[in-house]
Coordinates of all heavy atoms in Angstrom, one line a residue:
M137 N 29.3 22.3 0.2 CA 28.2 21.6 0.8 C 27.8 22.3 2.1 O 28.6 22.6 2.9 CB 28.5 20.2 1.1 CG 28.4 19.3 -0.1 SD 28.5 17.6 0.5 CE 28.1 16.8 -1.0
T138 N 26.5 22.3 2.4 CA 26.0 22.8 3.6 C 25.9 21.7 4.6 O 25.9 20.5 4.3 CB 24.7 23.6 3.5 OG1 23.7 22.6 3.1 CG2 24.8 24.7 2.5
A139 N 25.7 22.0 5.9 CA 25.5 21.0 6.9 C 24.2 20.2 6.7 O 24.1 19.1 7.0 CB 25.4 21.7 8.3
E140 N 23.2 20.9 6.1 CA 21.9 20.2 5.7 C 22.1 19.1 4.7 O 21.6 18.0 4.9 CB 20.9 21.2 5.2 CG 20.3 22.1 6.2 CD 19.3 21.4 7.1 OE1 18.5 20.6 6.6 OE2 19.3 21.6 8.3
S141 N 22.9 19.3 3.7 CA 23.1 18.3 2.7 C 23.9 17.2 3.1 O 23.8 16.1 2.6 CB 23.6 19.0 1.4 OG 24.9 19.5 1.7
K142 N 24.8 17.3 4.1 CA 25.6 16.3 4.6 C 24.9 15.4 5.6 O 25.3 14.3 5.9 CB 26.9 16.9 5.3 CG 27.9 17.5 4.4 CD 29.1 18.0 5.2 CE 30.1 18.6 4.3 NZ 31.2 19.2 5.1
R143 N 23.9 15.9 6.2 CA 23.1 15.2 7.3 C 22.5 13.9 6.7 O 21.8 14.0 5.7 CB 22.1 16.1 7.9 CG 21.5 15.6 9.1 CD 20.6 16.6 9.7 NE 20.4 16.3 11.1 CZ 19.6 17.0 11.8 NH1 18.9 18.0 11.3 NH2 19.4 16.6 13.1
K144 N 22.7 12.8 7.4 CA 22.2 11.5 6.9 C 20.7 11.4 7.4 O 20.4 11.7 8.6 CB 23.0 10.4 7.5 CG 22.6 9.0 6.9 CD 23.5 8.0 7.4 CE 23.0 6.7 6.7 NZ 23.1 5.5 7.5
I145 N 19.8 11.0 6.5 CA 18.4 10.8 6.8 C 18.2 9.4 7.2 O 18.5 8.5 6.3 CB 17.5 11.3 5.7 CG1 17.7 12.7 5.4 CG2 16.1 11.0 6.0 CD1 17.0 13.2 4.1
P146 N 17.8 9.1 8.4 CA 17.6 7.7 8.8 C 16.4 7.1 8.0 O 15.4 7.7 7.8 CB 17.2 7.7 10.3 CG 16.9 9.1 10.6 CD 17.5 10.0 9.5
M147 N 16.6 5.9 7.5 CA 15.6 5.1 6.7 C 15.1 4.0 7.6 O 15.8 3.4 8.3 CB 16.3 4.5 5.4 CG 16.9 5.6 4.5 SD 15.7 6.7 3.8 CE 15.1 5.7 2.4
R148 N 13.8 3.8 7.4 CA 13.1 2.7 8.2 C 12.3 1.9 7.2 O 11.8 2.4 6.2 CB 12.3 3.2 9.3 CG 13.0 4.0 10.4 CD 13.9 3.0 11.2 NE 14.7 3.7 12.2 CZ 15.9 4.2 12.1 NH1 16.6 4.1 11.0 NH2 16.5 4.7 13.2
K149 N 12.0 0.6 7.5 CA 11.3 -0.3 6.7 C 9.8 -0.3 7.1 O 9.5 -0.5 8.3 CB 11.9 -1.7 6.8 CG 11.3 -2.7 5.8 CD 12.1 -4.0 5.9 CE 11.4 -5.1 5.2 NZ 12.2 -6.3 5.3
C150 N 8.9 -0.2 6.2 CA 7.5 -0.3 6.5 C 7.1 -1.7 6.8 O 7.5 -2.6 6.0 CB 6.7 0.3 5.3 SG 4.9 0.0 5.5
S151 N 6.4 -2.0 7.9 CA 6.0 -3.3 8.2 C 4.9 -3.9 7.3 O 4.7 -5.1 7.2 CB 5.5 -3.4 9.7 OG 6.5 -3.1 10.6
G152 N 4.3 -3.0 6.6 CA 3.2 -3.5 5.6 C 3.8 -3.9 4.3 O 3.7 -5.0 3.9
C153 N 4.4 -2.9 3.6 CA 4.9 -3.2 2.2 C 6.3 -3.6 2.1 O 6.8 -4.2 1.1 CB 4.7 -2.0 1.3 SG 5.6 -0.5 1.8
G154 N 7.1 -3.4 3.2 CA 8.5 -3.8 3.2 C 9.5 -2.8 2.5 O 10.7 -3.1 2.4
E155 N 8.9 -1.7 2.0 CA 9.8 -0.7 1.4 C 10.4 0.2 2.4 O 9.9 0.4 3.5 CB 9.0 0.1 0.4 CG 8.5 -0.7 -0.8 CD 7.8 0.2 -1.8 OE1 8.3 1.4 -2.1 OE2 6.8 -0.2 -2.4
H156 N 11.6 0.8 2.1 CA 12.3 1.7 3.0 C 11.9 3.1 2.7 O 11.8 3.5 1.5 CB 13.8 1.5 2.8 CG 14.3 0.3 3.4 ND1 14.3 -0.9 2.8 CD2 14.8 0.1 4.7 CE1 14.8 -1.9 3.6 NE2 15.1 -1.3 4.7
F157 N 11.7 3.9 3.7 CA 11.3 5.3 3.6 C 12.1 6.1 4.6 O 12.5 5.6 5.6 CB 9.8 5.5 4.0 CG 8.8 4.8 3.0 CD1 8.4 3.5 3.2 CD2 8.4 5.5 1.9 CE1 7.5 2.9 2.4 CE2 7.5 4.9 1.0 CZ 7.1 3.6 1.2
P158 N 12.2 7.4 4.4 CA 12.8 8.3 5.5 C 11.9 8.2 6.7 O 10.7 8.1 6.7 CB 12.7 9.7 4.9 CG 12.6 9.5 3.4 CD 11.9 8.2 3.2
K159 N 12.6 8.1 7.9 CA 11.9 7.8 9.1 C 10.8 8.8 9.4 O 9.7 8.4 9.9 CB 13.0 7.9 10.2 CG 12.4 7.7 11.6 CD 13.6 7.8 12.6 CE 13.1 7.7 14.0 NZ 14.1 7.9 15.0
N160 N 11.0 10.1 9.0 CA 10.0 11.1 9.3 C 8.7 11.0 8.5 O 7.7 11.7 8.7 CB 10.5 12.5 9.2 CG 11.1 12.8 7.8 OD1 11.1 12.0 6.9 ND2 11.6 14.0 7.7
E161 N 8.7 10.1 7.4 CA 7.5 9.9 6.6 C 6.6 8.7 7.1 O 5.6 8.5 6.6 CB 7.9 9.6 5.2 CG 8.5 10.8 4.5 CD 8.9 10.5 3.1 OE1 8.4 9.5 2.5 OE2 9.7 11.3 2.5
L162 N 7.1 8.1 8.2 CA 6.4 6.9 8.7 C 5.7 7.1 10.0 O 6.1 8.0 10.7 CB 7.4 5.7 8.8 CG 8.1 5.3 7.5 CD1 9.2 4.3 7.8 CD2 7.1 4.7 6.5
V163 N 4.7 6.3 10.3 CA 4.1 6.3 11.6 C 4.7 5.2 12.5 O 4.9 4.1 12.0 CB 2.6 6.1 11.5 CG1 1.9 6.0 12.8 CG2 1.9 7.1 10.6
R164 N 5.1 5.5 13.7 CA 5.8 4.6 14.6 C 4.8 4.0 15.6 O 4.1 4.8 16.3 CB 6.9 5.3 15.3 CG 7.8 4.3 16.1 CD 9.0 5.0 16.7 NE 9.9 4.1 17.4 CZ 10.4 4.4 18.6 NH1 10.2 5.6 19.1 NH2 11.2 3.5 19.1
V165 N 4.8 2.7 15.7 CA 4.0 2.0 16.7 C 5.1 1.6 17.7 O 6.1 1.0 17.4 CB 3.2 0.8 16.2 CG1 2.4 0.2 17.3 CG2 2.3 1.2 15.0
L166 N 4.8 1.8 19.0 CA 5.8 1.6 20.0 C 5.4 0.7 21.1 O 4.2 0.9 21.6 CB 6.2 3.0 20.6 CG 7.2 3.1 21.7 CD1 8.6 2.9 21.2 CD2 7.1 4.4 22.4
R167 N 6.2 -0.2 21.6 CA 6.0 -0.9 22.8 C 6.9 -0.3 23.8 O 8.2 -0.4 23.7 CB 6.3 -2.4 22.6 CG 5.9 -3.2 23.9 CD 6.5 -4.6 23.9 NE 7.9 -4.5 24.1 CZ 8.8 -5.5 23.7 NH1 8.4 -6.5 23.1 NH2 10.1 -5.3 23.9
T168 N 6.3 0.3 24.9 CA 7.1 1.0 25.9 C 7.8 -0.1 26.8 O 7.4 -1.2 26.8 CB 6.2 1.9 26.8 OG1 5.3 1.0 27.5 CG2 5.5 2.9 26.0
P169 N 8.8 0.3 27.6 CA 9.4 -0.6 28.5 C 8.5 -1.2 29.5 O 8.7 -2.3 30.0 CB 10.5 0.3 29.2 CG 10.8 1.4 28.2 CD 9.5 1.6 27.5
E170 N 7.3 -0.6 29.7 CA 6.3 -1.1 30.6 C 5.4 -2.1 29.9 O 4.5 -2.7 30.5 CB 5.5 0.1 31.2 CG 6.2 1.0 32.1 CD 7.1 2.0 31.3 OE1 6.7 2.5 30.2 OE2 8.2 2.4 31.8
G171 N 5.5 -2.2 28.6 CA 4.7 -3.2 27.8 C 3.5 -2.6 27.2 O 2.7 -3.3 26.6
E172 N 3.3 -1.3 27.3 CA 2.1 -0.6 26.7 C 2.4 -0.3 25.3 O 3.5 0.0 24.8 CB 2.0 0.8 27.5 CG 0.7 1.5 27.1 CD 0.6 2.9 27.8 OE1 1.5 3.2 28.6 OE2 -0.4 3.6 27.5
I173 N 1.3 -0.4 24.4 CA 1.4 -0.2 23.0 C 0.8 1.2 22.7 O -0.3 1.4 23.1 CB 0.7 -1.3 22.2 CG1 1.1 -2.6 22.5 CG2 0.8 -1.0 20.7 CD1 2.6 -2.9 22.2
V174 N 1.6 2.1 22.1 CA 1.2 3.4 21.8 C 1.7 3.9 20.4 O 2.6 3.2 19.9 CB 1.7 4.4 22.9 CG1 1.1 4.2 24.2 CG2 3.2 4.4 23.0
L175 N 1.0 4.9 19.9 CA 1.5 5.5 18.7 C 2.5 6.6 19.1 O 2.2 7.4 19.9 CB 0.3 6.1 17.9 CG -0.7 5.2 17.3 CD1 -1.7 5.9 16.5 CD2 0.0 4.1 16.5
D176 N 3.6 6.6 18.4 CA 4.7 7.6 18.7 C 4.8 8.4 17.4 O 5.5 8.1 16.5 CB 6.0 6.9 19.0 CG 7.1 7.9 19.3 OD1 6.8 9.1 19.5 OD2 8.3 7.5 19.4
L177 N 4.0 9.5 17.3 CA 4.0 10.3 16.2 C 5.2 11.2 16.0 O 5.5 11.7 15.0 CB 2.7 11.2 16.1 CG 1.4 10.4 16.2 CD1 0.2 11.3 16.3 CD2 1.3 9.4 15.0
V178 N 5.9 11.5 17.2 CA 7.1 12.3 17.1 C 8.3 11.4 16.8 O 9.3 11.9 16.3 CB 7.2 13.0 18.5 CG1 8.5 13.9 18.5 CG2 6.0 13.8 18.8
G179 N 8.3 10.2 17.2 CA 9.4 9.3 17.0 C 10.6 9.4 18.0 O 11.7 9.0 17.7
K180 N 10.3 9.9 19.1 CA 11.3 10.2 20.1 C 11.2 9.4 21.4 O 12.1 9.3 22.2 CB 11.4 11.7 20.5 CG 11.6 12.6 19.4 CD 13.0 12.6 18.9 CE 13.2 13.7 17.9 NZ 14.5 13.5 17.2
K181 N 10.1 8.7 21.6 CA 9.8 8.0 22.8 C 10.7 6.7 22.9 O 11.1 6.2 21.9 CB 8.4 7.5 22.9 CG 7.4 8.7 23.1 CD 6.0 8.3 23.2 CE 5.1 9.5 23.3 NZ 3.7 9.0 23.4
S182 N 11.0 6.3 24.1 CA 11.8 5.2 24.4 C 11.0 3.9 24.3 O 9.9 3.8 24.7 CB 12.4 5.3 25.8 OG 13.0 4.1 26.2
G183 N 11.6 2.9 23.6 CA 10.9 1.6 23.5 C 11.2 0.9 22.2 O 11.9 1.4 21.3
R184 N 10.6 -0.2 22.0 CA 10.7 -1.0 20.7 C 9.7 -0.5 19.7 O 8.5 -0.4 20.0 CB 10.6 -2.5 21.0 CG 10.8 -3.3 19.8 CD 10.8 -4.8 20.2 NE 11.1 -5.6 19.0 CZ 12.3 -6.0 18.7 NH1 13.3 -5.6 19.4 NH2 12.5 -6.8 17.6
G185 N 10.1 -0.1 18.5 CA 9.2 0.5 17.5 C 9.1 -0.3 16.3 O 10.0 -1.1 15.9
A186 N 8.0 -0.2 15.6 CA 7.7 -0.7 14.3 C 7.1 0.4 13.5 O 6.5 1.3 14.0 CB 6.8 -1.9 14.3
Y187 N 7.4 0.4 12.2 CA 7.0 1.5 11.3 C 6.0 1.1 10.3 O 6.1 0.0 9.8 CB 8.2 2.2 10.7 CG 9.2 2.8 11.7 CD1 10.1 2.0 12.3 CD2 9.1 4.1 12.0 CE1 11.0 2.5 13.3 CE2 9.9 4.7 12.9 CZ 10.9 3.9 13.6 OH 11.7 4.4 14.5
L188 N 5.1 2.1 9.9 CA 4.2 1.9 8.8 C 4.2 3.1 8.0 O 4.2 4.2 8.5 CB 2.7 1.6 9.3 CG 2.4 0.3 9.8 CD1 1.0 0.3 10.5 CD2 2.4 -0.7 8.7
C189 N 4.1 2.9 6.6 CA 4.0 4.1 5.8 C 2.5 4.5 5.8 O 1.7 3.8 6.4 CB 4.5 3.8 4.3 SG 3.6 2.6 3.4
K190 N 2.2 5.7 5.3 CA 0.9 6.2 5.4 C -0.1 5.7 4.4 O -1.1 6.4 4.1 CB 1.0 7.8 5.4 CG 1.8 8.2 6.6 CD 1.9 9.7 6.7 CE 2.7 10.1 8.0 NZ 2.9 11.5 8.1
N191 N 0.1 4.5 3.9 CA -0.8 3.9 3.0 C -1.7 3.0 3.7 O -1.2 2.0 4.4 CB 0.0 3.1 1.9 CG -0.8 2.4 0.9 OD1 -2.0 2.3 1.0 ND2 -0.2 2.0 -0.2
P192 N -3.0 3.2 3.7 CA -3.9 2.3 4.4 C -3.8 0.8 4.1 O -4.1 -0.1 4.9 CB -5.3 2.9 4.1 CG -5.1 4.3 3.7 CD -3.7 4.3 3.1
N193 N -3.4 0.5 2.8 CA -3.3 -0.9 2.4 C -2.1 -1.5 3.2 O -2.2 -2.7 3.5 CB -3.0 -1.0 0.9 CG -4.2 -0.6 0.1 OD1 -5.4 -0.8 0.5 ND2 -4.0 0.0 -1.1
C194 N -1.1 -0.8 3.5 CA 0.0 -1.3 4.3 C -0.5 -1.7 5.7 O 0.0 -2.7 6.3 CB 1.2 -0.4 4.4 SG 2.1 -0.3 2.9
L195 N -1.4 -0.9 6.3 CA -1.9 -1.3 7.6 C -2.7 -2.6 7.5 O -2.6 -3.4 8.4 CB -2.8 -0.1 8.1 CG -3.5 -0.4 9.4 CD1 -2.6 -0.7 10.5 CD2 -4.5 0.8 9.8
K196 N -3.5 -2.7 6.4 CA -4.2 -4.0 6.3 C -3.3 -5.2 6.1 O -3.5 -6.2 6.8 CB -5.1 -3.9 5.0 CG -6.3 -2.9 5.2 CD -7.1 -2.8 3.9 CE -8.1 -1.7 4.0 NZ -8.8 -1.4 2.8
K197 N -2.2 -5.0 5.3 CA -1.3 -6.1 5.2 C -0.6 -6.5 6.5 O -0.4 -7.6 6.8 CB -0.2 -5.7 4.2 CG -0.6 -5.8 2.7 CD 0.6 -5.4 1.9 CE 0.2 -5.1 0.4 NZ 1.4 -4.7 -0.3
A198 N -0.2 -5.4 7.2 CA 0.5 -5.6 8.5 C -0.4 -6.3 9.5 O 0.0 -7.2 10.2 CB 1.0 -4.3 9.0
R199 N -1.7 -5.9 9.5 CA -2.6 -6.5 10.5 C -2.9 -8.0 10.1 O -2.9 -8.8 11.0 CB -3.9 -5.7 10.5 CG -4.8 -6.2 11.6 CD -6.0 -5.2 11.8 NE -6.7 -5.6 13.0 CZ -7.7 -4.9 13.5 NH1 -8.1 -3.9 12.8 NH2 -8.3 -5.3 14.5
K200 N -3.1 -8.2 8.8 CA -3.5 -9.6 8.4 C -2.3 -10.5 8.6 O -2.5 -11.7 9.1 CB -3.8 -9.6 6.9 CG -4.3 -10.9 6.4 CD -4.7 -10.8 4.9 CE -5.2 -12.2 4.4 NZ -5.5 -12.2 3.0
G201 N -1.1 -10.1 8.4 CA 0.1 -10.9 8.5 C 0.7 -10.9 9.9 O 1.7 -11.5 10.2
K202 N 0.0 -10.2 10.9 CA 0.5 -10.0 12.2 C 1.9 -9.5 12.3 O 2.7 -9.9 13.1 CB 0.3 -11.3 13.0 CG -1.1 -11.7 13.2 CD -1.3 -12.7 14.3 CE -2.7 -13.1 14.6 NZ -3.4 -12.2 15.5
R203 N 2.3 -8.6 11.4 CA 3.6 -8.1 11.3 C 4.0 -7.2 12.4 O 5.2 -7.2 12.8 CB 3.8 -7.5 9.9 CG 3.7 -8.4 8.8 CD 3.8 -7.8 7.4 NE 3.5 -8.7 6.3 CZ 3.4 -8.4 5.1 NH1 3.5 -7.1 4.7 NH2 3.1 -9.2 4.2
L204 N 3.1 -6.4 12.9 CA 3.4 -5.5 14.0 C 3.6 -6.4 15.3 O 4.5 -6.1 16.1 CB 2.3 -4.5 14.2 CG 2.1 -3.4 13.2 CD1 1.0 -2.5 13.4 CD2 3.4 -2.6 13.0
E205 N 2.8 -7.4 15.4 CA 3.0 -8.3 16.6 C 4.3 -8.9 16.6 O 5.0 -9.0 17.6 CB 1.9 -9.4 16.6 CG 0.5 -9.0 17.1 CD -0.4 -8.5 16.0 OE1 0.1 -8.1 14.9 OE2 -1.6 -8.4 16.3
A206 N 4.8 -9.4 15.4 CA 6.1 -10.0 15.3 C 7.2 -9.0 15.6 O 8.2 -9.3 16.3 CB 6.3 -10.6 13.9
A207 N 7.1 -7.8 15.0 CA 8.1 -6.7 15.2 C 8.2 -6.3 16.7 O 9.3 -6.1 17.2 CB 7.8 -5.6 14.3
L208 N 7.0 -6.2 17.3 CA 7.0 -5.7 18.7 C 7.1 -6.8 19.7 O 7.1 -6.6 20.9 CB 5.8 -4.8 18.9 CG 5.7 -3.5 18.1 CD1 4.5 -2.8 18.4 CD2 6.9 -2.7 18.3
E209 N 6.9 -8.0 19.3 CA 7.0 -9.2 20.1 C 5.9 -9.2 21.2 O 6.2 -9.6 22.3 CB 8.4 -9.4 20.7 CG 9.5 -9.5 19.7 CD 10.9 -9.4 20.3 OE1 11.0 -9.0 21.5 OE2 11.8 -9.7 19.5
C210 N 4.7 -8.8 20.8 CA 3.6 -8.8 21.7 C 2.3 -8.7 21.0 O 2.3 -8.4 19.8 CB 3.7 -7.7 22.8 SG 3.5 -6.1 22.1
E211 N 1.1 -8.9 21.6 CA -0.2 -8.7 21.0 C -0.5 -7.2 20.9 O -0.1 -6.4 21.7 CB -1.3 -9.3 21.9 CG -1.3 -10.9 21.8 CD -1.7 -11.4 20.5 OE1 -2.7 -10.9 19.9 OE2 -1.1 -12.3 20.0
I212 N -1.2 -6.9 19.8 CA -1.6 -5.5 19.5 C -3.1 -5.4 19.7 O -3.8 -6.1 19.0 CB -1.2 -5.0 18.1 CG1 0.3 -5.3 17.8 CG2 -1.6 -3.6 17.9 CD1 1.3 -4.5 18.5
P213 N -3.5 -4.5 20.7 CA -5.0 -4.4 20.9 C -5.7 -3.8 19.6 O -5.1 -3.0 18.9 CB -5.1 -3.4 22.1 CG -3.7 -3.3 22.6 CD -2.7 -3.7 21.6
D214 N -6.9 -4.1 19.5 CA -7.7 -3.6 18.3 C -7.8 -2.1 18.4 O -7.8 -1.4 17.3 CB -9.1 -4.1 18.4 CG -9.2 -5.6 17.9 OD1 -8.2 -6.1 17.3 OD2 -10.2 -6.3 18.3
G215 N -7.8 -1.5 19.5 CA -7.8 0.0 19.7 C -6.6 0.7 19.0 O -6.7 1.7 18.5
I216 N -5.5 0.0 19.1 CA -4.3 0.6 18.4 C -4.4 0.6 16.9 O -4.1 1.5 16.2 CB -3.0 -0.2 18.8 CG1 -2.7 0.0 20.3 CG2 -1.8 0.2 18.0 CD1 -2.5 1.4 20.8
Y217 N -5.0 -0.5 16.4 CA -5.2 -0.6 14.9 C -6.2 0.5 14.5 O -6.1 1.1 13.4 CB -5.7 -2.0 14.5 CG -4.6 -3.0 14.5 CD1 -4.6 -4.1 15.3 CD2 -3.6 -2.9 13.5 CE1 -3.6 -5.0 15.3 CE2 -2.6 -3.9 13.5 CZ -2.6 -4.9 14.3 OH -1.6 -5.9 14.3
E218 N -7.2 0.7 15.4 CA -8.2 1.7 15.0 C -7.6 3.1 15.0 O -7.9 4.0 14.2 CB -9.4 1.7 16.1 CG -10.2 0.4 15.9 CD -11.1 0.1 17.1 OE1 -11.3 1.0 18.0 OE2 -11.7 -1.0 17.1
K219 N -6.7 3.4 16.0 CA -6.0 4.7 16.1 C -5.1 4.9 14.9 O -5.0 5.9 14.3 CB -5.2 4.8 17.3 CG -5.9 5.1 18.6 CD -5.0 5.3 19.7 CE -5.7 5.4 21.1 NZ -4.8 5.4 22.2
L220 N -4.5 3.8 14.5 CA -3.6 3.8 13.3 C -4.4 4.1 12.0 O -4.0 5.0 11.2 CB -2.9 2.5 13.1 CG -1.5 2.3 13.7 CD1 -1.0 0.9 13.6 CD2 -0.5 3.2 13.0
A221 N -5.5 3.4 11.9 CA -6.4 3.7 10.7 C -6.8 5.1 10.7 O -6.8 5.8 9.6 CB -7.6 2.7 10.7
E222 N -7.2 5.6 11.8 CA -7.7 7.0 11.9 C -6.5 8.0 11.6 O -6.7 8.9 10.8 CB -8.1 7.3 13.4 CG -8.9 8.6 13.6 CD -9.4 8.6 15.0 OE1 -10.2 7.8 15.4 OE2 -8.9 9.6 15.7
E223 N -5.3 7.7 12.1 CA -4.1 8.5 11.8 C -3.8 8.5 10.3 O -3.4 9.5 9.7 CB -3.0 8.0 12.6 CG -1.7 8.9 12.5 CD -1.9 10.3 13.0 OE1 -2.6 10.6 13.9 OE2 -1.3 11.2 12.4
L224 N -3.9 7.4 9.7 CA -3.6 7.3 8.3 C -4.6 8.0 7.4 O -4.2 8.5 6.3 CB -3.4 5.8 7.9 CG -2.3 5.0 8.5 CD1 -2.3 3.6 8.1 CD2 -0.9 5.7 8.3
T225 N -5.8 8.0 7.8 CA -6.8 8.7 6.9 C -6.8 10.2 7.1 O -7.0 10.9 6.2 CB -8.3 8.2 7.2 OG1 -8.5 8.3 8.6 CG2 -8.4 6.7 6.8
V226 N -6.5 10.6 8.4 CA -6.4 12.0 8.7 C -5.1 12.6 8.2 O -5.0 13.6 7.6 CB -6.6 12.3 10.2 CG1 -6.4 13.7 10.6 CG2 -8.0 11.9 10.6
G227 N -4.0 11.9 8.6 CA -2.6 12.4 8.3 C -2.3 12.1 6.9 O -1.8 12.7 6.1

């Protein structure tokens, strides 16, 4: 076995559909320690994160059910949802 095959791939749960995916396939929404809400496309920033798969329907489900608000324990501005929608259609 090579080092690549032994390496564990972190799995994260999509806030929209509830399915588990490899972390690198998801978009991370982050609440920074300062309380700012940002998209963390690299997945390395510090703070509390919630994940969405790249399915636009999951974004709709997460927004309707306020699942990102629950996961991040704060209000999510409309601008963040717009950036997410743009990222999901482009990415």
Side-chain angles (χ1 to χ4, degrees):
M137 279 191 171
T138 64
E140 284 288 316
S141 62
K142 289 183 183 178
R143 190 173 201 187
K144 187 173 183 219
I145 299 172
M147 301 292 280
R148 297 293 182 264
K149 185 175 172 181
C150 172
S151 294
C153 63
E155 291 185 42
H156 286 83
F157 295 92
K159 182 180 173 183
N160 59 359
E161 292 179 15
L162 300 171
V163 177
R164 184 173 186 224
V165 183
L166 176 77
R167 186 191 71 203
T168 65
E170 295 78 34
E172 184 183 2
I173 306 296
V174 295
L175 293 184
D176 181 12
L177 302 176
V178 182
K180 301 286 185 194
K181 293 182 183 175
S182 167
R184 184 174 183 89
Y187 296 85
L188 279 173
C189 64
K190 296 184 178 175
N191 181 344
N193 291 330
C194 285
L195 176 59
K196 290 176 189 171
K197 283 182 193 175
R199 188 172 190 175
K200 185 176 180 183
K202 295 195 177 276
R203 295 177 187 172
L204 291 177
E205 281 91 341
L208 299 178
E209 301 171 347
C210 67
E211 285 292 314
I212 308 291
D214 287 338
I216 294 298
Y217 283 115
E218 290 164 11
K219 282 183 189 174
L220 264 170
E222 194 175 296
E223 183 63 35
L224 295 179
T225 54
V226 172

